[in-house]
Amino acid sequence: MPMNEQPPWGKKKKPAGPEDFLAILIQKIRDTFSGQEQGPAPQGEQQPPSSNEQPNLFARAGKILAIVTAILILQGAFTCFYTIAPGEVGIILRFGQFDRETHPGLHFKIPFVEELTKVDVETIRKEEFGFRTRNPGMNPAFESSVSLKNSSLDRKGYDMESLMLTGDKDVIEVAWTVQYKVNDPRKFLFEVRDVAQAVRDASETVTRRIVGNMDFDYVLGNREVLAASAKRELQEQMDRLKCGITIITLQLLDINPPEQVKPAFNEVNEADQDMKRLVNEAEETYNRVIPKAGGNAKKIVEEAYGYAAERTNRAAGETNRFKAIVKEYQGTEEITRQRLYLEAMQEILPKVERVYVINKSQQGILPLLDLSRAKEQQPAAK
């Protein structure tokens, strides 16, 4: 029997080549999605072979290929143009490698070759430690000024984040927040796998180290100084890791002792306040009494110095005066005697109430009637 002749009992038809096999496969796929695939023929019945089945398969395969090609072209046309919104930066990867950055506006990229990733560089991101915000949409600027006692903040279950040990071996609870934003999108995407986790780890390390080096009282009273120091060191670590972010603020929101020791802590604070009050009162008394006593002592000493100087100068003046009189007296004894007499009478007579003039030639005493003095002593008439 020749090789190209079919046996009398017949045989199952097979595809003539790869094209026929591909056409049959595409047809089956189309029939499956369109629901037109028919079930197997009943037993005992055979479908008559169709003479134009092979050309139809090629036609259908061509249509499917055209549809797929049109879909790919449309998809490429729609994806080759993209828009970057304000506050965003586009990172273009060509075959998985960084190619360029694009800024707000309409841009073009090669479809199926370049990939776009948008990075928000204006939104302020935040990480919370020791608490969580129940309202995620709260403004970070407003949230930083809200007390942790507010109902929008939750501290339950976050004790391990806030518990710290100070330099004097005391336990303290510190709750803080870190706010940052992206300044280098390329580093933000490719240098560190998880920037948020890096910020959390570095911030916790820096804050715990700074608090651990300070005393309990210093931590309670100098939160602004500690926050500024922690922010500076955290920014240095982020720059060293090449995270591509800028730390906007690091704020210590709440610093308190643990709940278990708060009563004892309050008693210690009250005793400390009483001690400070007594010390201030003692210092006030000291500042009021001691300087006054010192001033009085200096006053007495200065008065003594002044009195001594006065007596000394007066004695020296009297001595010099007496010496001058003696010198003049030695030259003109009678005139000096007469002048001294007159000066003495000029000083004594105004104080004398009665004056008696005695004449050596008479035996009796002749009183001098001073009418001016009598007139002065007479009461004025009404």
Side-chain angles (χ1 to χ4, degrees), residues 73-238:
I73 293 174
L74 291 176
Q75 184 180 3
F78 279 111
T79 58
C80 65
F81 294 99
Y82 63 94
T83 302
I84 301 297
E88 293 181 344
V89 173
I91 302 297
I92 300 298
L93 302 180
R94 180 174 294 177
F95 296 111
Q97 186 177 5
F98 174 78
D99 182 70
R100 63 185 182 278
E101 291 184 3
T102 55
H103 298 280
L106 183 63
H107 302 277
F108 173 82
K109 68 181 181 69
I110 303 174
F112 309 110
V113 175
E114 296 179 340
E115 181 183 354
L116 169 66
T117 302
K118 297 180 180 180
V119 180
D120 190 348
V121 296
E122 291 296 332
T123 301
I124 298 179
R125 310 162 193 260
K126 61 178 172 39
E127 296 294 333
E128 299 168 338
F129 301 85
F131 71 99
R132 293 296 182 272
T133 304
R134 292 197 183 99
N135 183 11
M138 183 181 294
N139 186 4
F142 173 75
E143 178 187 339
S144 61
S145 62
V146 176
S147 174
L148 290 181
K149 298 180 180 178
N150 193 288
S151 59
S152 62
L153 303 178
D154 185 14
R155 298 195 63 173
K156 293 182 180 180
Y158 305 104
D159 296 336
M160 297 307 298
E161 292 182 355
S162 59
L163 284 177
M164 298 184 185
L165 194 64
T166 60
D168 51 359
K169 305 301 188 236
D170 287 334
V171 180
I172 191 172
E173 287 186 352
V174 181
W176 75 100
T177 180
V178 177
Q179 299 177 4
Y180 64 95
K181 67 178 182 178
V182 179
N183 63 0
D184 192 334
R186 182 179 179 182
K187 293 181 179 180
F188 181 78
L189 288 178
F190 305 120
E191 294 294 338
V192 179
R193 182 183 298 273
D194 191 348
V195 175
Q197 187 62 39
V199 171
R200 294 192 65 85
D201 295 340
S203 177
E204 191 167 353
T205 301
V206 170
T207 306
R208 287 183 181 277
R209 186 185 62 77
I210 291 178
V211 173
N213 291 335
M214 302 299 173
D215 295 336
F216 187 89
D217 295 334
Y218 186 86
V219 174
L220 287 179
N222 298 273
R223 65 174 62 188
E224 291 83 4
V225 178
L226 298 178
S229 179
K231 175 188 174 183
R232 182 176 60 257
E233 293 192 16
L234 180 60
Q235 184 64 60
E236 292 176 356
Q237 288 200 16
M238 293 296 101

Side-chain angles (χ1 to χ4, degrees), residues 13-72:
K13 185 178 179 181
K14 295 182 179 180
E19 295 83 1
D20 296 340
F21 179 78
L22 181 59
I24 294 173
L25 180 61
I26 294 175
Q27 181 63 32
K28 287 184 176 292
I29 293 174
R30 291 186 60 190
D31 294 341
T32 300
F33 284 99
S34 62
Q36 296 178 357
E37 185 178 5
Q38 298 179 356
Q43 296 181 0
E45 296 183 4
Q46 295 183 357
Q47 292 182 355
S50 177
S51 60
N52 57 352
E53 183 176 359
Q54 186 172 354
N56 290 338
L57 290 177
F58 282 108
R60 292 174 182 176
K63 291 180 179 180
I64 293 175
L65 183 60
I67 293 173
V68 172
T69 305
I71 292 174
L72 293 177

